[in-house]
Amino acid sequence: MPGTKEIRMKIRSVQNTRKITKAMEMVAASKMRKAQERMRHARPYGEKIRNVAAHISHANPEYKHPFLVARDSVKRVGIIVITTDKGLCGALNTNLLRMVLQQYKAWQAEGEEVEVCALGNKGLGFMQRLGANIVSQAIQLGDRPQMDKLIGAIKVMLDGYVEDRFDRLLLAYNRFFNTMKQEPIIEQLLPLSGERLGSPETLWDYLYEPEAKAVLDQVMTRYIEAVIFQAVAENMASEQSARMVAMKAASDNAATLIDELTLIYNKNRQAAITKELSEIVGGAAAV
Amino acid sequence: MAAATIHVDVVSAEESIFSGEAEFVVLPGEAGELGIYPRHTPLITRIRPGAVRILPAGGGEEQLIFVAGGILEVQPKVITVLADTAIRGHDLDEAKANEALQRAEEARAKAKDKQEIAVVEGELAMLAAQLAAIRRLRKK
């Protein structure tokens, strides 16, 4: 049986741990609200630009943007992996990376070449250890998604697609459903399927300045960027939610541990008192 | 004519900047300054960095919004400004892409020699086991 002093020290250390996890939980909770708001703010842009893209691609059947053309042979793949920068957010990254790893192995088994773009520190580290071909990366994204930090990494991937370095581009991230539920998902970004773009309700002829092709090029690029941006925003909201839940679980666990330890401590103390008493009684009887 | 208004949305990837009815909008189009009244013919154009001026419906103060470029879409009843959040340009984008490439290159150089996938898998398995243990503990 451990000594009373050791148990007391243990209790104190668990209490300190609980203070930290509790604080992290509260920080994550407040960040989560902001992250969710940001995610919602990013939505209108994505919808609007999708409408415009759908419009133009329908209005201009003669010009097919490379993003819309499906390739015949699919032998090389590009994947954008969005993870968090920091850990301590439960199984969020683990689940996503496990899914990516499975895909990755499947591709390797089929002899497909894979190029990886890592957004977020965790995914980058994982891909490095995996020995994957990382062509671009962006880390230290902060609490607030910023297009500025993503543009470079995304452009490398979009160029890769246009320049025929790979035949399709996938996006892996955690989709945010609600505070308790985030799911890892891998979706196809390029070639853009018609369904994803949707078709506009009404069609009219636009005036184009300078010309349809140039505008369409820009709209398409912006659209893909918006999709990725939205994914990053969702991933961040997922991160904060997952962290909050994980830290709450940790605080609860610490509380249970403290209860158990306190019980042992009290029992121990009681045992010591009883022992001392019986010694005194025994001693008195002997005299 | 005074009653005619048009709905204007100014959105960027990061947030919605303006949404409301307007009588008149002025934007820096790629081919020159554009002034748009309600019932303008449908138009799509790129816009340059500059100020968007919106004259809200029913008088009120003129709104000035700075955009770093983007796309303007005019539909019969709606004007949408898809604003870029950062100043963009081919060269700038190119520079950023190169930067990203370089970072990847450096990271690759730093990475330890190809470790076996098994090691990573082992790590994952360990994490999964930890999670399972935690779950069991919680149930108890």
Side-chain angles (χ1 to χ4, degrees), chain A residues 233-271:
Chain A
E234 284 211 21
N235 199 65
M236 281 184 182
S238 302
E239 174 191 2
Q240 297 302 345
S241 309
R243 178 165 303 133
M244 190 188 78
V245 172
M247 286 302 120
K248 176 145 180 41
S251 303
D252 291 349
N253 287 345
T256 334
L257 205 57
I258 290 172
D259 283 351
E260 276 171 24
L261 284 173
T262 314
L263 196 68
I264 296 173
Y265 174 73
N266 285 340
K267 267 188 192 156
N268 223 344
R269 193 170 53 105
Q270 197 58 52

Side-chain angles (χ1 to χ4, degrees), chain A residues 42 45 48 91 105 126 128-129 133-135 137 147-148 204 206-207 209-210 215 218 222 225 229, chain B residues 9 12-14 30 42 44-46 73 75 80 84-86 88 96 101 103 107-108 120-121 123 131:
Chain A
Y45 182 87
K48 295 243 156 69
K105 274 174 30 191
F126 179 81
Q128 273 173 349
R129 274 173 294 160
N133 181 15
I134 303 168
V135 290
Q137 63 168 91
M147 204 47 137
D148 217 26
W204 43 68
Y206 284 108
L207 287 176
E209 266 178 45
V215 177
Q218 180 164 359
R222 292 290 186 278
E225 283 170 2
F229 184 83
Chain B
D9 283 316
S12 76
E14 285 166 22
E30 197 177 49
I44 285 186
T45 182
R46 297 193 290 206
E73 187 207 22
Q75 289 177 16
T80 313
D84 290 337
T85 42
R88 306 283 297 263
K96 275 189 186 125
L101 269 174
R103 274 203 308 268
R108 221 173 320 171
V120 187
E121 263 181 291
E123 247 169 73
L131 272 173

Side-chain angles (χ1 to χ4, degrees), chain B:
Chain B
M1 190 61 210
T5 58
I6 188 160
H7 190 81
V8 181
D9 283 316
V10 182
V11 290
S12 76
E14 285 166 22
E15 60 193 339
S16 172
I17 300 166
F18 177 88
S19 178
E21 298 291 317
E23 284 175 11
F24 181 53
V25 182
V26 182
L27 307 117
E30 197 177 49
E33 201 89 340
L34 287 163
I36 295 163
Y37 279 107
R39 292 198 285 267
H40 191 281
T41 188
L43 164 84
I44 285 186
T45 182
R46 297 193 290 206
I47 50 181
R48 284 177 321 196
V52 177
R53 279 196 294 141
I54 301 168
L55 205 65
E61 213 162 294
E62 196 180 63
Q63 296 267 343
L64 258 180
I65 299 163
F66 178 79
V67 291
I71 295 155
L72 164 75
E73 187 207 22
V74 182
Q75 289 177 16
K77 286 182 192 130
V78 188
I79 298 178
T80 313
V81 180
L82 299 158
D84 290 337
T85 42
I87 302 246
R88 306 283 297 263
H90 186 73
D91 295 343
L92 272 173
D93 283 10
E94 201 70 51
K96 275 189 186 125
N98 282 336
E99 226 173 86
L101 269 174
Q102 212 170 1
R103 274 203 308 268
E105 204 72 48
E106 280 166 20
R108 221 173 320 171
K110 254 189 274 170
K112 279 168 252 156
D113 281 342
K114 270 180 225 154
Q115 269 171 319
E116 289 301 310
I117 294 178
V119 177
V120 187
E121 263 181 291
E123 247 169 73
L124 269 175
M126 206 174 74
L127 279 171
Q130 274 176 1
L131 272 173
I134 290 164
R135 237 170 258 142
R136 226 174 299 136
L137 219 142
R138 207 175 300 157
K139 238 178 254 163
K140 190 184 84 180

Side-chain angles (χ1 to χ4, degrees), chain A residues 68-128:
Chain A
L68 290 164
V69 183
R71 311 254 168 98
D72 299 331
S73 69
V74 181
K75 271 282 132 221
R76 290 152 305 169
V77 198
I79 184 164
I80 300 178
V81 182
I82 303 175
T83 52
T84 66
D85 275 328
K86 294 171 190 155
L88 290 179
C89 48
L92 194 75
N93 289 324
T94 316
N95 285 343
L96 182 78
L97 291 175
R98 191 186 305 147
M99 202 165 158
V100 172
L101 180 65
Q102 242 169 32
Q103 270 290 347
Y104 189 85
K105 274 174 30 191
W107 286 327
Q108 278 198 327
E110 285 170 31
E112 294 188 26
E113 285 169 40
V114 188
E115 290 190 12
V116 180
C117 165
L119 302 179
N121 225 345
K122 291 282 160 188
L124 179 68
F126 179 81
M127 285 300 164
Q128 273 173 349

Side-chain angles (χ1 to χ4, degrees), chain A:
Chain A
M1 191 155 259
T4 322
K5 202 174 163 208
E6 279 87 24
I7 300 177
R8 207 164 44 209
M9 267 163 64
K10 189 86 195 158
I11 290 178
R12 192 147 313 145
S13 114
V14 177
Q15 269 170 344
N16 283 338
T17 309
R18 188 176 60 167
K19 268 184 214 153
I20 295 168
T21 56
K22 193 87 194 163
M24 286 181 80
E25 178 195 335
M26 285 189 291
V27 169
S30 86
K31 278 188 181 171
M32 180 189 76
R33 266 191 292 278
K34 280 188 212 137
Q36 285 181 17
E37 216 164 275
R38 267 183 223 120
M39 186 183 77
R40 271 191 288 277
H41 280 317
R43 252 176 216 155
Y45 182 87
E47 275 162 29
K48 295 243 156 69
I49 201 149
R50 198 194 64 223
N51 278 339
V52 176
H55 241 118
I56 315 183
S57 56
H58 273 78
N60 289 281
E62 72 274 6
Y63 174 61
K64 277 266 175 225
H65 193 272
F67 288 174
L68 290 164
V69 183
R71 311 254 168 98
D72 299 331
S73 69
V74 181
K75 271 282 132 221
R76 290 152 305 169
V77 198
I79 184 164
I80 300 178
V81 182
I82 303 175
T83 52
T84 66
D85 275 328
K86 294 171 190 155
L88 290 179
C89 48
L92 194 75
N93 289 324
T94 316
N95 285 343
L96 182 78
L97 291 175
R98 191 186 305 147
M99 202 165 158
V100 172
L101 180 65
Q102 242 169 32
Q103 270 290 347
Y104 189 85
K105 274 174 30 191
W107 286 327
Q108 278 198 327
E110 285 170 31
E112 294 188 26
E113 285 169 40
V114 188
E115 290 190 12
V116 180
C117 165
L119 302 179
N121 225 345
K122 291 282 160 188
L124 179 68
F126 179 81
M127 285 300 164
Q128 273 173 349
R129 274 173 294 160
L130 202 58
N133 181 15
I134 303 168
V135 290
S136 71
Q137 63 168 91
I139 54 168
Q140 305 298 336
L141 301 174
D143 288 331
R144 178 199 167 101
Q146 281 170 312
M147 204 47 137
D148 217 26
K149 291 185 180 163
L150 304 176
I151 293 167
I154 296 173
K155 188 170 163 53
V156 172
M157 295 312 268
L158 295 186
D159 284 351
Y161 183 78
V162 174
E163 287 161 10
D164 232 0
R165 284 212 320 271
F166 38 83
D167 308 305
R168 67 195 153 126
L169 182 60
L170 300 156
L171 179 66
Y173 67 103
N174 278 291
R175 175 166 280 175
F176 181 87
F177 287 95
N178 54 47
T179 313
M180 298 302 291
K181 190 175 174 213
Q182 304 90 33
E183 254 173 30
I185 180 169
I186 299 180
E187 53 181 36
Q188 179 156 326
L189 216 51
L190 298 175
L192 213 51
S193 63
E195 298 117 61
R196 174 143 195 177
L197 211 51
S199 54
E201 301 119 32
T202 47
L203 275 177
W204 43 68
D205 259 336
Y206 284 108
L207 287 176
Y208 294 102
E209 266 178 45
E211 46 161 359
K213 186 177 167 298
V215 177
L216 185 56
D217 282 352
Q218 180 164 359
V219 169
M220 279 298 169
T221 315
R222 292 290 186 278
Y223 171 59
I224 297 297
E225 283 170 2
V227 171
I228 298 171
F229 184 83
Q230 178 74 34
V232 172
E234 284 211 21
N235 199 65
M236 281 184 182
S238 302
E239 174 191 2
Q240 297 302 345
S241 309
R243 178 165 303 133
M244 190 188 78
V245 172
M247 286 302 120
K248 176 145 180 41
S251 303
D252 291 349
N253 287 345
T256 334
L257 205 57
I258 290 172
D259 283 351
E260 276 171 24
L261 284 173
T262 314
L263 196 68
I264 296 173
Y265 174 73
N266 285 340
K267 267 188 192 156
N268 223 344
R269 193 170 53 105
Q270 197 58 52
I273 293 170
T274 315
K275 196 174 143 216
E276 223 167 277
L277 270 179
S278 62
E279 269 168 13
I280 294 171
V281 172
V287 171

